[in-house]
């Protein structure tokens, strides 16, 4: 059985758009699955944020200033 944890990530992003405008903002509720035997939790959270930004925004450059993650609590069904 694969050891993993589902995490919701929030990240502070700085981004420059084609117009030259630079904006800083916080993104939340980015889903992340950390597979324990493949990478560190920090790396999984960082790459989840990076992939989310890359897949959803058009920009000239971006920087992830900080990020944090919280494990998703399982709901009893």
């Amino acid at each position: 059985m694969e050891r993993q944890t589902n995490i919701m990530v929030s990240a502070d992003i700085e981004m420059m758009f084609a117009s030259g405008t630079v904006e800083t903002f916080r993104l939340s509720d980015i889903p992340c699955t950390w597979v324990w035997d493949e990478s560190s939790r920090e790396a999984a959270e960082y790459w989840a944020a990076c992939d989310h930004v890359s897949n959803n925004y058009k920009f000239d450059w971006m920087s992830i200033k900080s990020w944090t993650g919280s494990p998703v609590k399982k709901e009893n069904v």
Side-chain angles (χ1 to χ4, degrees):
M1 178 181 234
E2 197 169 66
R3 300 181 311 153
Q4 64 184 33
T5 303
N6 292 322
I7 301 169
M8 293 303 268
V9 177
S10 296
D12 294 315
I13 309 292
E14 184 174 60
M15 187 179 298
M16 185 174 85
F17 298 94
S19 65
T21 304
V22 176
E23 294 186 25
T24 302
F25 49 92
R26 183 163 191 83
L27 297 174
S28 298
D29 298 327
I30 301 166
C32 170
T33 300
W34 167 39
V35 180
W36 298 11
D37 298 323
E38 290 182 6
S39 68
S40 68
R41 176 176 168 169
E42 292 81 6
E45 292 172 350
Y46 176 87
W47 286 109
C50 186
D51 289 344
H52 177 80
V53 171
S54 296
N55 292 334
N56 293 287
Y57 294 88
K58 289 189 173 209
F59 53 88
D60 280 352
W61 61 260
M62 71 93 173
S63 176
I64 299 174
K65 299 299 201 175
S66 64
W67 70 92
T68 186
S70 297
V72 176
K73 294 182 180 175
K74 292 182 182 179
E75 294 183 20
N76 293 334
V77 178

